[in-house]
């Protein structure tokens, strides 16, 4: 079964998160890797890496277009 590009991008980011639960990726490099426009990356981030799914995403200004992903666990 063929997977769509968004699923592949999501899977790649999750692989980068690995066991550490932290990843830093340059936005343009990610778009180039999957040969998509930056808005496709934004779509994946906004739909797949939400707080309700246990992720924090930070894109600080002035850090050369890097995006930081954090996998978090919530406790009661």
């Amino acid at each position: 079964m063929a997977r769509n590009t968004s699923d592949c991008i999501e899977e790649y980011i999750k692989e980068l998160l690995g066991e550490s639960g932290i990843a830093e990726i340059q936005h343009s490099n990610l778009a180039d890797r999957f040969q998509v426009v930056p808005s496709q990356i934004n779509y994946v981030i906004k739909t797949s890496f939400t707080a309700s799914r246990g992720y924090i995403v930070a894109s600080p200004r002035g850090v050369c277009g890097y995006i930081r992903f954090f996998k978090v666990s919530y406790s009661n």
Side-chain angles (χ1 to χ4, degrees):
M1 182 165 106
R3 296 178 307 156
N4 66 40
T5 304
S6 294
D7 290 341
C8 293
I9 295 167
E10 178 182 355
E11 184 178 309
Y12 176 74
I13 294 169
K14 287 180 178 178
E15 286 176 9
L16 291 176
L17 283 164
E19 291 182 22
S20 71
I22 300 171
E24 186 173 89
I25 307 163
Q26 192 166 22
H27 193 267
S28 60
N29 288 348
L30 194 55
D32 289 344
R33 178 181 181 87
F34 289 95
Q35 298 180 357
V36 297
V37 294
S39 61
Q40 176 100 25
I41 303 299
N42 294 340
Y43 170 80
V44 172
I45 292 168
K46 289 180 182 185
T47 59
S48 301
F49 295 92
T50 62
S52 63
R53 290 184 170 199
Y55 296 95
I56 296 173
V57 179
S59 183
R61 294 193 183 275
V63 189
C64 299
Y66 279 90
I67 307 164
R68 292 185 183 124
F69 295 85
F70 304 90
K71 177 71 174 152
V72 294
S73 298
Y74 297 103
S75 60
N76 291 337

